Amino acid sequence: MKLTESLGQFEQLILTAVMALKDNAYGMQIYSKVCEMADREMNLGSVYVTLDRLQKKGYVTSKVAGGGPERGGKPRRFYSLRPAGVQALTESVETATRISETFWRFGKWGSQRAK
Amino acid sequence: MGIPTGKIGPRKWIRFLAERLTPRYQRDFIAGDLQALALVPRLYAWRAAKAIACIIKYQMIASFDVWLVTGEASLLWVAIAGSPFLPSIVLLMLVLAALRVRDAYIYSAGGSPGAMAPEAGGIAMFVFLAETALGWTAPSLALPTERMIQGAVIGAVTLPAWRMIFRKGEPLDKRPRELQESLVAAWHMNLLWAAAGVVLSLTNAAAVPEIIHGRDFLLGGLPVVLLCAAYRLQKDHFTGMHPRAPLSLFRDPRQDELLHQSAMLWFPDRRKSSKLPAYVYAEVLYFVVLVLPAGLAAWRWISGDSSAAQVDWRQLAINVGAMAALAALWICIKRLNRQTALALRERAERAQAPDSRGQNE
């Protein structure tokens, strides 16, 4: 039974990127990972806005650390998944898996694949 | 998919512009990320513009408050009172839109007197520039010069003050914020109720003409005196407003502030020993004085007095209905004051002894 709010597709991408990057999950890295997974260019602003929204929902937490010379000394905000975020992502992936299985079994391409 | 990069980074002025145009809340982080991407100038500008636009939109939605906007619109409308309708609407829309963009940049900063001065200057300048531009491009939508100056000056004073008061001291925690909202609501209701009583006593005097010289003066001033007396009689500090405790290293200022706010409400400082406290008599007398003109008018009519013909019976009937409503509201207002005062005292006690509460749990 679902215990958390449904995630939008972009939120799923963000949470997955944060999970995959582990200790290196800050703005630019998350952005690059999301672009890689989505296979298209994304808006950096959308990444920050979604991270902020996920933080308000309690799915991620953040801490600020200093930046290097490549950033002009500007700080970085590192994000990490909270247990609620892990659960929301897990439920979301399970839903996507069920959709995928049903699609390949009954969809137009699914019947061809079965053949 | 890789992120295209180039050997030449963005020019300093483009970086500076992008940084200044980014709303305050994520400025440093976004500026650092864009710089670390090391993009060619055109791509940097494009990426920065898209990111900034997205964040401004998000911040505008997050900072929007219908009551803030309503207050701004009302104050600006009063500031340009007497102006033609369509130009007034146009200016209202432009100023409100500009203030939304301003909020997008400063959110989630609270209100402060320091922020009022630049806002005042900004609003005055914006009104001047907008009206000048309208005067050149669409003269039918521009305000007359004297109205523009009037709107700029009054708007520059009232709007920043409203925005400061509205955003001042918004606690982030839910419970303190609810308490503050309850306190503000209680005070608004107290003041509005008192104002309604004053209006009622004045219209009573107008509806029932005096036959004894000086009666109107007495009936106009006595309710105010009785209300003040009822307030002071339930307080320990009879001679003045509730004194604030002096700042001290050994006292918690939060606790003092909460106790001060609780003491200022319409609620007895402590339970009096007598069955019916003195302030209750004052409150009852207040309503008696309010209803007195209606009683006088009724007596004149019953006794067949010729002055009964001068009574405005319709106004009097409305006032009697209003007095009944005022009395009913008084019960609700006293309850709100009591609940808020008790909640503030409870919060002050919890602020004083968090350790003992932890041991009891």
Side-chain angles (χ1 to χ4, degrees):
Chain A
M1 190 183 73
K2 272 203 165 181
L3 297 172
T4 55
E5 221 175 287
S6 298
L7 292 176
Q9 190 185 48
F10 198 67
E11 289 174 331
Q12 293 173 21
L13 283 168
I14 297 283
L15 286 178
T16 309
V18 171
M19 182 194 70
L21 290 166
K22 296 189 177 63
D23 292 336
N24 205 29
Y26 65 93
M28 196 195 77
Q29 294 293 341
I30 296 173
Y31 170 71
S32 305
K33 194 74 181 171
V34 165
C35 291
E36 180 191 317
M37 286 193 291
D39 196 26
R40 58 188 173 97
E41 181 193 318
M42 291 291 180
N43 187 336
L44 179 63
S46 307
V47 171
Y48 271 101
V49 160
T50 308
L51 283 166
D52 193 53
R53 206 179 295 133
L54 289 169
Q55 189 164 4
K56 283 178 183 166
K57 286 183 184 178
Y59 292 164
V60 296
T61 185
S62 70
K63 62 178 182 190
V64 177
E70 76 283 0
R71 301 172 59 87
K74 302 271 189 277
R76 287 181 286 188
R77 190 186 286 274
F78 287 86
Y79 291 87
S80 55
L81 280 183
R82 299 186 75 190
V86 173
Q87 185 180 359
L89 187 58
T90 307
E91 286 171 3
S92 177
V93 168
E94 285 170 357
T95 304
T97 307
R98 285 192 292 273
I99 294 171
S100 171
E101 286 171 0
T102 308
F103 174 79
W104 291 116
R105 200 180 316 145
F106 296 107
K108 172 186 160 188
W109 298 273
S111 55
Q112 290 174 354
R113 198 183 185 210
K115 286 174 189 170
Chain B
M1 189 191 110
I3 311 296
T5 59
K7 288 181 185 173
I8 305 169
R11 292 189 187 165
K12 269 189 182 174
W13 68 269
I14 296 178
R15 269 210 315 266
F16 176 78
L17 196 63
E19 200 173 312
R20 297 321 299 173
L21 287 175
T22 308
R24 200 184 290 174
Y25 106 111
Q26 292 281 20
R27 180 176 289 165
D28 287 342
F29 307 109
I30 291 176
D33 287 340
L34 284 170
Q35 192 168 338
L37 282 174
L39 300 169
V40 294
R42 200 196 302 183
L43 199 55
Y44 176 93
W46 174 239
R47 292 276 175 88
K50 279 177 44 176
I52 290 166
C54 181
I55 290 173
I56 288 174
K57 180 184 154 192
Y58 175 71
Q59 287 285 86
M60 282 175 76
I61 294 169
S63 64
F64 182 83
D65 189 302
V66 68
W67 297 116
L68 174 66
V69 176
T70 305
E72 288 169 356
S74 305
L75 287 169
L76 192 57
W77 192 258
V78 168
I80 54 177
S83 305
F85 181 73
L86 194 58
S88 299
I89 293 290
V90 168
L91 182 65
L92 199 72
M93 294 292 114
L94 289 173
V95 171
L96 291 180
L99 288 174
R100 300 292 66 75
V101 175
R102 158 90 175 145
D103 282 345
Y105 274 84
I106 62 173
Y107 187 75
S108 52
S112 69
M116 280 177 63
E119 270 197 5
I123 288 169
M125 185 63 63
F126 182 82
V127 168
F128 175 74
L129 290 174
E131 287 299 314
T132 306
L134 281 171
W136 288 340
T137 54
S140 62
L141 297 178
L143 289 175
T145 308
E146 63 275 11
R147 295 293 175 204
M148 178 197 74
I149 295 170
Q150 170 192 311
V153 170
I154 299 176
V157 171
T158 54
L159 286 177
W162 164 248
R163 286 163 59 78
M164 185 205 73
I165 291 167
F166 194 87
R167 287 235 153 92
K168 188 174 168 61
E170 288 180 343
L172 294 175
D173 294 335
K174 190 176 173 219
R175 184 63 186 138
R177 193 171 64 241
E178 284 171 355
L179 264 182
Q180 288 303 309
E181 286 169 2
S182 180
L183 180 69
V184 168
W187 270 109
H188 284 172
M189 290 175 73
N190 290 348
L191 292 171
L192 285 172
W193 189 91
V198 168
V199 169
L200 206 56
S201 65
L202 292 174
T203 51
N204 270 346
V208 184
E210 63 175 6
I211 51 177
I212 300 170
H213 183 66
R215 186 212 70 172
D216 284 352
F217 177 78
L218 203 65
L219 287 182
L222 204 51
V224 177
V225 170
L226 286 169
L227 211 55
C228 293
Y231 179 74
R232 291 296 175 84
L233 283 170
Q234 58 187 304
K235 300 293 177 187
D236 289 339
H237 47 284
F238 190 79
T239 54
M241 301 297 281
H242 185 263
R244 280 184 186 276
L247 281 177
S248 165
L249 291 173
F250 306 105
R251 294 180 64 88
D252 185 356
R254 289 175 305 165
Q255 187 199 12
D256 288 342
E257 182 62 24
L258 288 167
L259 289 173
H260 175 79
Q261 287 173 345
S262 168
M264 291 293 288
L265 285 169
W266 195 285
F267 183 63
D269 277 353
R270 59 180 171 197
R271 191 177 285 280
K272 305 289 183 185
S273 56
S274 60
K275 264 191 175 177
L276 212 55
Y279 69 86
V280 174
Y281 290 106
E283 287 175 14
V284 169
L285 213 56
Y286 171 82
F287 286 103
V288 166
V289 169
L290 274 186
V291 90
L292 195 59
L296 285 173
W299 175 252
R300 288 180 196 176
W301 180 69
I302 290 169
S303 62
D305 197 308
S306 58
S307 60
Q310 297 168 5
V311 173
D312 186 348
W313 292 104
R314 193 179 69 165
Q315 180 65 54
L316 203 59
I318 294 170
N319 282 8
V320 168
M323 274 182 275
L326 220 63
L329 274 172
W330 183 234
I331 298 167
C332 302
I333 287 172
K334 283 185 73 170
R335 192 185 308 139
L336 174 64
N337 275 263
R338 186 182 75 242
Q339 287 170 350
T340 306
L342 289 173
L344 285 166
R345 285 184 195 176
E346 184 201 351
R347 183 127 193 110
E349 283 161 14
R350 284 171 65 190
Q352 182 187 21
D355 293 336
S356 59
R357 192 182 73 238
Q359 288 168 7
N360 289 335
E361 283 174 0

